[in-house]
Amino acid sequence: MLFNQGNAGNPELLSGIDYQPLSGFQPELAAQCWLVLYDGQIVVNDEDHYLWHSLDQFEAHMSQRAVVTGYLHEQAVGIVELSSLADGLQTTSIRSLLSVSDSTVYAHISHSLQILTSRKEHAFCGCCGHRKREKSGEWAMVCTGCGHPTYPRISPCVIVVVSRGEELLLVRHIRHGQQSTMHTLVAGYVEPGESAEAAVRREVFEETGLTLGDVNYCFSQSWPFPHSLMLGFHAEYKSGELVLEEKELCFGGWFHKDSLPELPPEFTISRQLVDYVL
Ligand SMILES: [Zn+2]
């Protein structure tokens, strides 16, 4: 398997990453290769590789200006999104690419996608409605009318592996489809004014009816779907019977550590948290 390091906040796992993100927009910097997006997927070339050395063939199809995001293996790399796709070009899903990639590819794609998302979502000012433009040296988009800056949005989200003795609590989400057999963890966004630890207790209670004992932070992962920062926790079960939140979950149950069902791919923090407590 190509994947071998994961991308969690564990310092030992971060040491092998060879992607250096730029700290801001550099309009004069030219890229040696490009990540090309279309309709939420990555356009792959004839070698079935996800990087392109030239954008010449895409000039008529770009929905916005290409942007350089960082250095991948010491080469400047950029990202661009297409509004249409020429005949004969193939795409692959981001998740399937990540599932066979290493932590360097994950770091590159996660950062690039979030820069692209920020430029799209902040094209206009939320205060006065005027168009925004890039600010050199930062990732802020600045309003041409009132000057209001908007930085890339990062949304904190908690995800928790809950243990009860030798058992782990695993759930299946409705959004993954009724046919999916993949079991994952309880997760949810942190609310305004809430601590991450309180969010863990609230999400577990809301989704499963269970209350927790000790809650401990483990590590984090930047998650580019579309701009989450996943804060990973381990918690001990305290009390309660499973009562599922049926709008979000289609299954929840306890599994012994020695007989776990299908789990998410190794690049996900969900899987890494399960592996962490085994
Ligand atoms: Zn404005």
Side-chain angles (χ1 to χ4, degrees):
M1 178 176 278
L2 291 171
F3 180 93
N4 57 13
Q5 291 190 51
N7 68 303
N10 183 333
E12 293 173 16
L13 300 181
L14 291 169
S15 62
I17 293 178
D18 196 7
Y19 174 70
Q20 184 67 43
L22 293 180
S23 58
F25 181 56
Q26 292 191 25
E28 308 304 323
L29 182 61
Q32 275 101 37
C33 48
W34 297 91
L35 176 60
V36 179
L37 270 282
Y38 172 70
D39 195 24
Q41 300 221 318
I42 293 174
V43 183
V44 291
N45 57 35
D46 290 341
E47 290 85 43
D48 202 26
H49 196 274
Y50 82 101
L51 289 174
W52 296 77
H53 291 291
S54 167
L55 292 179
D56 289 349
Q57 66 175 300
F58 301 118
E59 289 288 347
H61 302 275
M62 293 184 193
S63 58
Q64 59 175 234
R65 201 147 52 108
V67 58
V68 182
T69 59
Y71 290 92
L72 179 66
H73 303 302
E74 300 184 355
Q75 288 199 314
V77 285
I79 188 169
V80 67
E81 187 170 49
L82 309 180
S83 55
S84 59
L85 194 66
D87 288 345
L89 288 173
Q90 304 293 317
T91 62
T92 189
S93 84
I94 296 167
R95 287 170 196 255
S96 65
L97 175 67
L98 292 177
S99 70
V100 293
S101 298
D102 61 20
S103 51
T104 292
V105 173
Y106 186 93
H108 168 221
I109 290 179
S110 178
H111 178 247
S112 301
L113 287 177
Q114 291 181 72
I115 296 300
L116 184 77
T117 298
S118 175
R119 289 157 59 88
K120 287 167 60 179
E121 292 185 346
H122 301 141
F124 294 93
C125 182
C127 296
C128 75
H130 281 85
R131 183 171 284 281
K132 291 198 161 195
R133 60 169 174 73
E134 303 97 340
K135 182 180 182 182
S136 183
E138 298 186 17
W139 286 123
M141 297 289 281
V142 179
C143 179
T144 55
C146 70
H148 182 262
T150 312
Y151 291 84
R153 181 152 53 129
I154 299 173
S155 304
C157 182
V158 293
I159 182 165
V160 55
V161 55
V162 180
S163 61
R164 184 178 70 177
E166 293 292 300
E167 298 174 311
L168 303 182
L169 173 66
L170 298 173
V171 298
R172 294 209 313 265
H173 288 267
I174 290 174
R175 68 173 183 274
H176 292 149
Q178 295 284 352
Q179 307 305 317
S180 172
T181 54
M182 185 176 71
H183 293 66
T184 182
L185 304 177
V186 172
Y189 287 105
V190 179
E191 299 284 354
E194 186 177 48
S195 71
E197 289 80 1
V200 169
R201 295 180 187 278
R202 176 183 53 75
E203 284 290 343
V204 170
F205 184 74
E206 287 178 357
E207 295 193 12
T208 68
L210 304 180
T211 59
L212 301 175
D214 288 345
V215 172
N216 291 299
Y217 174 73
C218 299
F219 42 75
S220 64
Q221 179 184 49
S222 175
W223 185 249
F225 304 105
H227 38 59
S228 294
L229 175 62
M230 306 293 286
L231 305 168
F233 287 83
H234 171 227
E236 300 281 353
Y237 164 85
K238 182 178 180 183
S239 64
E241 296 294 322
L242 273 172
V243 181
L244 297 186
E245 160 57 83
E246 294 181 345
K247 289 180 181 172
E248 292 195 34
L249 302 181
C250 55
F251 172 83
W254 296 99
F255 291 84
H256 192 275
K257 290 179 178 180
D258 294 336
S259 58
L260 296 176
E262 182 185 347
L263 297 170
E266 292 180 42
F267 76 88
T268 64
I269 189 171
S270 179
R271 173 64 170 275
Q272 292 164 18
L273 282 168
V274 171
D275 291 344
Y276 180 75
V277 299
L278 289 182

